[in-house]
Amino acid sequence: MAKAEEIENGNGFKMGDPYYCKECKRNHTKGKIYKEHLNFALFEDANDDDIEDEGNELNYDDEAELVKAFHEIDDEESTIEIENQLEDSIYSEDEDISDNRDSIQDCINAVKKLPGVGEATLNKLIKAGFSSLESIAFTPPKIIQQESGLGEKTTEKLIKSSMEILNIGFKSAEDVWEHRKNIARITTGSQELDDSLGGGVETGSVIEFFGEFRTGKTQIMHQLCVNVQLPKENGGLEGNALYIDTEGTFRPERIIQMAEGLDMDHKKVLKNIIFGRAYNSDHQILLVKEAANIIKERNIKLIVVDSLIGHFRSEYIGRGTLATRQQTINSHLHDLLRLCDIYVDLSIVVTNQVQSKPDTFYGNPLRAAGGNIVAHGSTIRVYLRKGKGEQRIAKIVDAPNLPEGEAIFSITENGITD
Ligand code: GTP
Ligand code: MG
């Protein structure tokens, strides 16, 4: 869909100035160009009254149109941006689009069946990005209210019903065991590292890789994004990855090298990695909250946050901000943990820098940043350090069901190996 063509009417524009749009043959208003044009493009037959509603009360004729509208809004407005290098390959195959649309349709149908959801409520939910039961059940009520404009009572009811359908609440230990039996694993590329992790990076947990600079944290993140796409018999989950990059160190070139090392079609591999660059901690938090809306639709089986603490560390400076910082990190980590709880087949990996703790007299003076909050939030922690040349040493330091052990792996041109 083409965006409005902006034609300069005078010398410079201020908010509220009119823009003449060649495509709609009508004026748009600066600050609202995109929304007005989207409305025009979606409902070319719509009369001007509809357009002036700023899109809040649009009438969708039928469900197919609603799905289409959602899809277009999603394509155009998603804060998850795809790196330029990846753009060519996105949606290049028709079958993927129809798969994608089928699963969106399934999610919407489930929301539609919630008690009390009529056409108007459904429209509001979808326009605000709440197109699945999961996204409703796990988003704080205040956020649903703000984004969708629905009332407090309706929101509460929707959350409660979604939670009931998804069977969220107290469970017996037997149910927990059933849940854990479904846990799958992604190979890291190194047999030794896989073994020390109990067979690879498991789903249903937040796994933290921490260590000094150049110890291979980012390399492991890249490798997992490739490996998650492998067939199950080869150590993958046949799923896609979502990469949240807070440091600007994501490199498609490395993905290509790693994919080629595994004889995979690198174009497909790149296409299946959804990339989001977080420019500050608020943005990072938002990207994780948005992730809930696309996990099912885009078959995401791995979420990477590289790195978890970096922005928080640089934004909250000084002793006085420590408490707020820890609280914010804590709630961010809980957003991640919650995703693991809902999606049994989702794996979350985060990286963490280490900070030196000079008052340690014995043991390793390097400690993961973020303190106890991160230690308690992540379910498995892996400490990385340098060995000789390409070698790196990984030590499992904190896992509820794994022995503490060390593994040696290498970083090569083709990625992580033994
Ligand atoms: P920070 O983000 O700085 O904390 O470090 P990190 O732990 O994320 O390090 P990263 O994963 O970026 O690892 C960098 C290391 O990977 C380099 O020191 C190289 O040794 C290795 N590496 C990266 N690319 C290649 C490559 O193409 N071939 C080989 N052999 N090694 C590579
Ligand atoms: Mg890194």
Side-chain angles (χ1 to χ4, degrees):
M1 185 183 71
K3 282 196 181 177
E5 192 169 324
E6 299 164 11
I7 298 170
E8 207 164 330
N9 298 320
N11 299 328
F13 286 104
K14 295 185 297 296
M15 284 306 222
D17 279 355
Y19 273 52
Y20 179 72
C21 171
K22 268 187 189 168
E23 200 178 331
C24 316
K25 298 198 176 49
R26 66 198 297 282
N27 281 342
H28 294 314
T29 323
K30 174 144 174 74
K32 293 182 185 169
I33 290 179
Y34 175 66
K35 227 168 188 173
E36 289 175 353
H37 189 73
L38 181 72
N39 289 345
F40 165 79
L42 290 177
F43 309 100
E44 276 181 67
D45 301 331
N47 58 38
D48 282 355
D49 293 344
D50 276 346
I51 292 168
E52 271 160 25
D53 272 332
E54 275 195 51
N56 280 337
E57 301 299 331
L58 294 169
N59 295 315
Y60 293 82
D61 283 332
D62 60 38
E63 213 162 296
E65 196 170 1
L66 199 62
V67 173
K68 187 167 153 253
F70 166 71
H71 208 78
E72 278 166 349
I73 290 166
D74 186 43
D75 284 353
E76 298 276 339
E77 285 190 338
S78 170
T79 38
I80 309 240
E81 57 188 48
I82 314 290
E83 280 241 312
N84 290 342
Q85 294 100 315
L86 309 187
E87 237 159 36
D88 291 349
S89 50
I90 302 283
Y91 295 141
S92 58
E93 274 163 45
D94 293 341
E95 65 200 83
D96 288 359
I97 295 178
S98 62
D99 277 2
N100 201 1
R101 293 202 172 177
D102 281 352
S103 55
I104 293 175
Q105 183 70 63
D106 289 347
C107 294
I108 292 177
N109 284 343
V111 175
K112 201 178 167 193
K113 283 189 195 135
L114 287 173
V117 173
E119 195 96 331
T121 310
L122 187 64
N123 287 351
K124 284 181 181 168
L125 285 168
I126 289 174
K127 289 198 80 188
F130 300 107
S131 53
S132 65
L133 295 181
E134 286 84 359
S135 60
I136 296 171
F138 290 95
T139 307
K142 267 204 186 128
I143 293 182
I144 301 187
Q145 281 173 43
Q146 273 167 18
E147 309 265 309
S148 68
L150 291 170
E152 194 181 330
K153 284 237 166 76
T154 316
T155 309
E156 257 172 36
K157 226 169 72 184
L158 288 173
I159 294 177
K160 198 164 163 254
S161 321
S162 302
M163 288 179 101
E164 270 166 19
I165 296 170
L166 295 171
N167 200 10
I168 299 161
F170 280 118
K171 293 181 185 129
S172 71
E174 198 188 358
D175 290 338
V176 178
W177 172 231
E178 277 303 317
H179 185 84
R180 278 200 66 83
K181 275 204 286 199
N182 291 322
I183 281 175
R185 289 169 198 279
I186 310 168
T187 176
T188 58
S190 150
Q191 185 67 45
E192 226 180 278
L193 183 54
D194 283 356
D195 289 346
S196 67
L197 286 164
V201 164
E202 66 174 38
T203 58
S205 300
V206 174
I207 300 172
E208 177 195 348
F209 286 86
F210 70 103
E212 278 187 87
F213 66 99
R214 293 170 84 80
T215 47
K217 302 181 292 290
T218 300
Q219 298 301 311
I220 294 177
M221 299 303 113
H222 280 63
Q223 187 73 58
L224 289 170
C225 288
V226 176
N227 292 4
V228 69
Q229 303 181 36
L230 285 167
K232 288 185 179 150
E233 58 274 20
N234 296 348
L237 298 178
E238 292 164 19
N240 301 335
L242 173 65
Y243 199 109
I244 299 178
D245 182 8
T246 73
E247 303 190 321
T249 51
F250 178 73
R251 295 286 176 273
E253 318 61 303
R254 276 304 271 156
I255 299 287
I256 293 172
Q257 285 175 330
M258 290 171 175
E260 282 172 353
L262 289 166
D263 278 335
M264 294 165 86
D265 173 359
H266 70 254
K267 267 194 143 177
K268 263 195 180 154
V269 172
L270 283 174
K271 196 186 94 174
N272 292 336
I273 302 172
I274 297 173
F275 173 82
R277 172 84 166 94
Y279 293 98
N280 55 49
S281 64
D282 285 336
H283 192 199
Q284 180 180 338
I285 291 168
L286 191 76
L287 285 176
V288 168
K289 290 197 191 292
E290 296 242 333
N293 295 326
I294 61 165
I295 290 171
K296 223 174 179 170
E297 288 146 18
R298 304 226 176 163
N299 191 29
I300 306 283
K301 298 278 171 77
L302 172 76
I303 297 181
V304 167
V305 185
D306 183 22
S307 78
L308 184 73
I309 304 296
H311 283 315
F312 295 93
R313 252 176 120 179
S314 57
E315 288 167 28
Y316 294 82
I317 299 163
R319 287 242 155 223
T321 63
L322 195 63
T324 332
R325 179 180 95 171
Q326 295 306 79
Q327 263 169 21
T328 321
I329 295 175
N330 191 23
S331 120
H332 181 48
L333 255 167
H334 277 87
D335 286 344
L336 290 168
L337 284 165
R338 213 158 34 219
L339 291 177
C340 289
D341 273 348
I342 327 167
Y343 301 100
V344 198
D345 54 354
L346 174 72
S347 175
I348 299 186
V349 281
V350 303
T351 68
N352 197 355
Q353 299 142 331
V354 288
Q355 56 194 157
S356 147
K357 211 175 166 213
D359 55 352
T360 322
F361 292 108
Y362 55 91
N364 192 330
L366 296 170
R367 291 279 178 276
N372 289 339
I373 295 280
V374 180
H376 295 152
S378 46
T379 22
I380 298 173
R381 316 185 72 212
V382 184
Y383 173 57
L384 299 174
R385 61 179 204 274
K386 279 185 222 158
K388 277 190 218 127
E390 293 181 333
Q391 281 191 349
R392 298 289 185 274
I393 301 148
K395 184 175 188 198
I396 313 297
V397 288
D398 198 357
N401 57 335
L402 293 173
E404 294 204 351
E406 279 195 348
I408 297 173
F409 64 93
S410 304
I411 307 172
T412 68
E413 184 168 332
N414 285 335
I416 309 293
T417 58
D418 272 318

